[in-house]
Amino acid sequence: MSFDSTTMRLMGGVPGQQHFLYRTAEAIGAVGASGYFNNAVEEYNLASGDIVLAVSGFGVLAVLDALVVTVSGGNATASPLA
């Protein structure tokens, strides 16, 4: 599977400080992979510093993770918020 824009919602903020909710049946390892959110860079103006609350694995064993986004050259990486 891959990024599905129909399950991503902007909760508020401005680029670099936006907050999103994203739901997927995929495991968090896939969601956090480099390039997973590349399409969201254009579709949602996803920028470095944005936060994605990812509900992953729903339907099986749902997990909520907070990810911080880094965008470089159009390539998005989402890493666990530490």
Side-chain angles (χ1 to χ4, degrees), residues 18-81:
Q18 296 180 114
H19 299 105
F20 294 92
L21 178 62
Y22 182 68
R23 293 179 49 118
T24 181
E26 293 184 84
I28 193 62
V31 174
S34 180
Y36 185 88
F37 285 104
N38 283 358
N39 290 342
V41 172
E42 185 173 323
E43 292 181 43
Y44 286 94
N45 201 21
L46 194 66
S48 292
D50 288 348
I51 303 296
V52 176
L53 297 177
V55 179
S56 59
F58 68 87
V60 181
L61 179 60
V63 176
L64 174 64
D65 287 284
L67 306 171
V68 64
V69 176
T70 303
V71 177
S72 178
N75 187 51
T77 302
S79 305
L81 188 62

